[in-house]
């Protein structure tokens, strides 16, 4: 005798519907959770990078003596250390960048070409500076840092970087200039976007005074020439995380009467680039950040949505196909029950 299908099938159908609905809800909520925790600049930044190159330099030790001695092919190293400072919370993070450029053929203070400490507070999601507190730049040891309003990207690009132009802050100009998308390429198999910022020679600082003859110009008196600065900056950016994995900068400073002065005297001309080890470390960090963001905002939500939809559809199908208990008793069973009872 059969009185119908056991309730197990209906229970399975109900569970499938419940779990499917739960997974669909989770697929909607995961991106919100991920954005709040993964798509933000971390509060544990502590990064050291090294760039190397050869430079044309005006010998600083001779310059203070009133002599112009230009040196070619000077090996140079640029060290940068970025750390998190206060304030830093759920919304903002303050990053401090200490940069020192040294010549490798000297030691001690004589090796230092330039040194600076830059600090700015960023929105952890957009990577752009906030209005308060105002950032600062310190270029001389022992002096109070100069308050400087920062108004562009600097340490990283936004999450989900687009093929467009962005404002990029320059610590020498102390203002931002646009950096433009150039191409999509790869570094060690990692898809990246290359951006370029080109700044024409612009006067910076007050310049120095030397005898006109020392400058190689006519006259017997003292002549003050202003300092000019130009840069062509290439940045390779992993677009999902916005991490900068390679930087190459043609940095030039010179003394001249005007930007296109044919008698300009070079102060420094160098094109440093992140060394191989630093690039490898930056790429590894970018891959990890990219995967975390993708799993939190794309892969996990899609997986949960697909599994949820499949379970929901299966549960509904089982529920519709499972007959009710009172409808599952066949007429032959009823006759058998009656005949059995009469016996």
């Amino acid at each position: 005798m059969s009185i119908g299908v056991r309730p197990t099938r209906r229970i399975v159908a109900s569970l499938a519907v419940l779990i499917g609905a739960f997974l669909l809800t989770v697929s909607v909520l995961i991106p919100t959770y991920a954005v709040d925790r993964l798509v933000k600049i971390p509060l544990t930044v502590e990064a050291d990078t090294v760039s190397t190159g050869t430079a044309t330099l005006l010998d600083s030790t001779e310059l203070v003596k009133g002599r112009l001695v230009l040196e070619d092919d000077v090996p140079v190293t640029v060290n940068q250390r970025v750390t998190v400072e206060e304030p830093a919370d759920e919304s903002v993070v303050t990053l401090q960048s200490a940069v020192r450029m040294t010549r490798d053929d000297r030691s001690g203070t004589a090796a230092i070409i330039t040194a600076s400490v830059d600090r700015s507070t960023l929105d952890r999601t957009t990577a752009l500076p906030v209005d308060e507190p105002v950032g600062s730049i310190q270029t001389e040891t022992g002096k109070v840092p100069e308050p400087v309003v920062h108004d562009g990207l600097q340490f990283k690009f936004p999450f989900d970087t687009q093929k467009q132009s962005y404002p990029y802050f320059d610590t020498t100009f102390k203002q931002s200039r646009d950096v433009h998308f150039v191409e999509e390429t790869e570094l060690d198999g990692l898809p990246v976007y290359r951006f370029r910022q080109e700044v024409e020679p612009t006067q910076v600082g007050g310049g120095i005074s030397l005898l006109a003859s020392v400058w190689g110009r006519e006259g017997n008196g003292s002549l003050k020439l202003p300092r000019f600065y130009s840069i062509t900056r290439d940045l390779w950016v992993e677009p999902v995380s916005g991490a900068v994995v390679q930087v190459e900068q043609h940095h030039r400073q010179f003394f001249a009467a005007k930007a296109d002065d044919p008698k300009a005297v070079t102060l420094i001309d160098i094109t440093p680039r992140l060394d191989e080890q630093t690039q490898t470390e930056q790429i590894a960090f970018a891959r990890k950040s990219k995967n975390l963001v993708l799993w939190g905002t794309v892969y996990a939500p899609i997986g949960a949505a697909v599994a949820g939809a499949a379970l929901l559809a299966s549960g509904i199908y089982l529920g519709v196909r499972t007959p009710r208990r009172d409808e599952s008793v066949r007429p032959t069973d009823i006759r058998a029950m009656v005949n059995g009872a009469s016996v």
Side-chain angles (χ1 to χ4, degrees):
M1 177 184 69
S2 172
I3 59 173
V5 179
R6 285 189 256 176
T8 304
R9 189 172 179 182
R10 186 171 295 279
I11 292 173
V12 170
S14 299
L15 287 175
V17 169
L18 288 174
I19 296 173
F22 173 76
L23 288 176
L24 287 174
T25 302
V26 167
S27 71
V28 175
L29 296 178
I30 285 178
T32 303
Y33 177 88
V35 167
D36 188 50
R37 286 163 175 77
L38 298 178
V39 189
K40 279 186 175 181
I41 300 174
L43 296 176
T44 56
V45 175
E46 188 172 335
D48 293 279
T49 61
V50 178
S51 299
T52 57
T54 56
T56 298
L57 291 175
L58 196 62
D59 191 328
S60 58
T61 59
E62 295 297 325
L63 183 60
V64 297
K65 300 174 184 177
R67 294 195 292 265
L68 301 180
V69 178
L70 201 62
E71 301 177 276
D72 293 321
D73 300 321
V74 178
V76 170
T77 298
V78 182
N79 295 92
Q80 181 181 27
R81 180 170 178 77
V82 179
T83 55
V84 172
E85 308 294 334
E86 293 295 335
D89 55 33
E90 288 297 316
S91 302
V92 300
V93 61
T94 299
L95 296 181
Q96 178 174 283
S97 168
V99 179
R100 185 175 66 172
M101 181 186 295
T102 56
R103 49 188 300 167
D104 302 339
D105 59 347
R106 294 183 181 176
S107 59
T109 56
I112 300 174
I113 301 171
T114 61
S116 65
V117 177
D118 172 66
R119 178 182 293 202
S120 61
T121 303
L122 314 178
D123 182 295
R124 291 181 61 195
T125 301
T126 67
L128 289 169
V130 297
D131 294 334
E132 294 291 340
V134 174
S136 65
I137 296 176
Q138 181 181 14
T139 56
E140 294 184 47
T141 304
K143 286 196 173 183
V144 177
E146 175 191 357
V148 176
V149 175
H150 292 58
D151 60 351
L153 302 174
Q154 189 177 355
F155 299 98
K156 72 179 295 297
F157 277 61
F159 292 96
D160 190 26
T161 297
Q162 300 297 304
K163 299 176 181 180
Q164 64 181 52
S165 298
Y166 292 94
Y168 194 88
F169 185 77
D170 186 283
T171 56
T172 301
F173 284 117
K174 298 176 182 176
Q175 56 185 286
S176 66
R177 304 290 175 88
D178 280 348
V179 59
H180 305 285
F181 172 79
V182 176
E183 64 174 344
E184 185 173 355
T185 183
E186 287 189 359
L187 283 180
D188 289 348
L190 179 70
V192 294
Y193 293 168
R194 181 164 73 93
F195 290 84
R196 170 169 287 186
Q197 181 189 56
E198 294 182 280
V199 180
E200 296 300 319
T202 304
Q203 183 177 334
V204 293
I208 60 173
S209 295
L210 295 172
L211 291 174
S213 58
V214 174
W215 288 120
R217 299 168 190 263
E218 297 180 356
N220 297 319
S222 178
L223 176 63
K224 184 176 183 178
L225 290 182
R227 179 167 56 99
F228 287 82
Y229 165 79
S230 67
I231 191 166
T232 298
R233 177 180 283 121
D234 285 283
L235 304 109
W236 285 261
V237 180
E238 193 292 301
V240 175
S241 64
V244 178
V245 299
Q246 180 56 271
V247 182
E248 183 177 277
Q249 306 178 90
H250 180 199
H251 172 121
R252 182 177 178 232
Q253 294 189 47
F254 58 92
F255 296 107
K258 56 183 180 178
D260 59 351
D261 190 344
K263 295 184 178 181
V265 175
T266 296
L267 174 61
I268 180 172
D269 193 328
I270 184 174
T271 308
R273 180 184 175 93
L274 294 181
D275 66 11
E276 185 175 346
Q277 179 179 340
T278 300
Q279 177 179 295
T280 299
E281 292 171 352
Q282 295 295 101
I283 287 177
F285 173 79
R287 287 188 200 274
K288 180 179 178 181
S289 300
K290 173 184 178 179
N291 289 336
L292 283 173
V293 172
L294 288 178
W295 273 105
T297 61
V298 180
Y299 302 150
I302 290 178
V306 170
L311 283 171
L312 188 63
S314 298
I316 293 173
Y317 176 80
L318 285 173
V320 171
R321 295 287 295 175
T322 301
R324 295 181 181 179
R325 184 184 300 270
D326 57 350
E327 293 175 349
S328 63
V329 182
R330 299 190 299 271
T332 55
D333 294 329
I334 295 175
R335 287 195 296 272
M337 292 170 64
V338 172
N339 293 333
S342 62
V343 176

